[in-house]
Amino acid sequence: MQSISMMSVTEAVDQAVAALDFDRLHKAYWEQNEFLVIKQFLPRSFVESTFVPQANELKPRINRNYIPGHKKGGSVSYYTVQEQAPLFLDLYRSSAYRSFLNRLVQANLLLCPDDDPHSCALYYYTEAGDHIGYHYDTSYYKGARYTILMGMVDRSTHCKLVCDLFKDDPAKETQHLELITEPGDMVIFNGDKLWHAVTPLAEGEERVALTMEYVTNPEMGRFQRFYSNLKDSFAYFGLKAVFKRAFSGPRTS
Ligand SMILES: [Fe+2]
């Protein structure tokens, strides 16, 4: 068998999907209100040799943002990933991975429109205090929005993904989880259902995560598009990056 370190991203993802215990994961995803963690979806050694060098090369392109009381951190948008680190798109666009997701969430998931900077992006927690407060990954699209996070770098004891499962379900008791996302660990959830945050990074630590977004309907109303662009400009990628693509890219409605 071919060594994992010699494989392309597509080959490694194909092998990872084929090795999953689908029935167990499907059951867990639905029992947890559309939330699932897959530890070591890709082996740490593969992520560290293939993706992490790319994530490090993108550091000069990080857009840092600070919203007092809610968010502090860095992001690299889909536009920059497309230009400078297309290897991440081999995972985002993998047909084996996408058909696994479709079966898991029981929907036909589509790639986001090309003018969505979150489609396949990177979040960097590199300075003390970097964090994001509790939120839903609200869908501004006409359909549902699903978020997938994959750990890239996790040199932190404080910076964790914290989640309150069933927060949106008054009939169920909320279940609090605190997760570390090691390189290769994957988290999959319906953005409108998971109340989540990332706790503050301590001095000298670092956490980097890849985020991928899929939707069931890529259309968005005009007001929703404007609000979504504003939020992305201030909270994530910067005015220039977001509005440059928004005014020149394809429109969905
Ligand atoms: Fe989020």
Side-chain angles (χ1 to χ4, degrees):
M1 188 187 253
Q2 191 183 1
S3 149
I4 186 93
S5 60
M6 305 293 287
M7 286 183 184
S8 69
V9 170
T10 306
E11 288 168 334
V13 172
D14 287 355
Q15 184 174 297
V17 169
L20 295 174
D21 179 349
F22 179 79
D23 291 342
R24 183 180 65 80
L25 297 177
H26 180 266
K27 187 165 177 275
Y29 176 81
W30 287 97
E31 281 178 356
Q32 296 178 122
N33 196 23
E34 295 201 59
F35 167 83
L36 181 67
V37 179
I38 307 177
K39 292 294 285 180
Q40 293 299 282
F41 169 76
L42 286 173
R44 180 182 191 124
S45 59
F46 182 80
V47 171
E48 289 185 332
S49 62
T50 307
F51 287 123
V52 173
Q54 298 261 300
N56 287 334
E57 278 175 30
L58 290 173
K59 280 183 175 173
R61 300 291 302 271
I62 291 176
N63 183 72
R64 284 201 57 86
N65 42 72
Y66 174 47
I67 300 175
H70 180 59
K71 186 178 190 297
K72 183 166 94 70
S75 314
V76 164
S77 74
Y78 170 59
Y79 315 143
T80 306
V81 169
Q82 249 183 333
E83 281 168 21
Q84 297 198 359
L87 218 52
F88 291 106
L89 302 182
D90 291 348
L91 168 59
Y92 178 57
R93 294 172 178 162
S94 154
S95 56
Y97 184 64
R98 291 180 62 198
S99 58
F100 158 69
L101 282 181
N102 287 351
R103 290 174 67 209
L104 183 77
V105 309
Q106 297 174 190
N108 184 32
L109 299 191
L110 305 170
L111 304 177
C112 286
D114 237 22
D115 59 355
D116 187 328
H118 285 281
S119 305
C120 181
L122 287 145
Y123 298 152
Y124 295 78
Y125 303 80
T126 52
E127 296 183 3
D130 281 359
H131 75 288
I132 182 163
Y134 271 104
H135 64 284
Y136 291 104
D137 286 0
T138 305
S139 176
Y140 297 102
Y141 287 94
K142 289 181 178 173
R145 166 187 169 176
Y146 295 81
T147 300
I148 286 94
L149 301 172
M150 191 166 83
M152 289 285 130
V153 175
D154 182 42
R155 290 191 296 100
S156 168
T157 50
H158 294 80
C159 192
K160 292 178 184 163
L161 175 67
V162 293
C163 311
D164 283 358
L165 270 56
F166 305 109
K167 174 93 173 166
D168 65 323
D169 185 348
K172 289 242 168 104
E173 197 170 325
T174 299
Q175 192 181 330
H176 182 75
L177 299 177
E178 297 193 2
L179 305 168
I180 52 166
T181 47
E182 293 177 303
D185 291 354
M186 184 167 274
V187 183
I188 302 170
F189 59 92
N190 180 329
D192 284 320
K193 293 193 169 184
L194 187 72
W195 184 242
H196 61 286
V198 175
T199 53
L201 191 81
E203 191 71 49
E205 297 186 338
E206 183 178 24
R207 179 177 181 273
V208 181
L210 172 72
T211 174
M212 299 182 289
E213 185 185 342
Y214 300 87
V215 293
T216 56
N217 180 344
E219 291 187 13
M220 198 183 272
R222 272 179 204 283
F223 174 76
Q224 285 83 355
R225 166 59 68 196
F226 181 70
Y227 182 77
S228 178
N229 281 339
L230 268 188
K231 186 175 66 69
D232 287 342
S233 302
F234 290 105
Y236 291 94
F237 307 112
L239 271 170
K240 204 170 141 201
V242 171
F243 281 93
K244 191 173 155 203
R245 180 69 68 102
F247 287 131
S248 62
R251 307 303 302 172
T252 54
S253 65

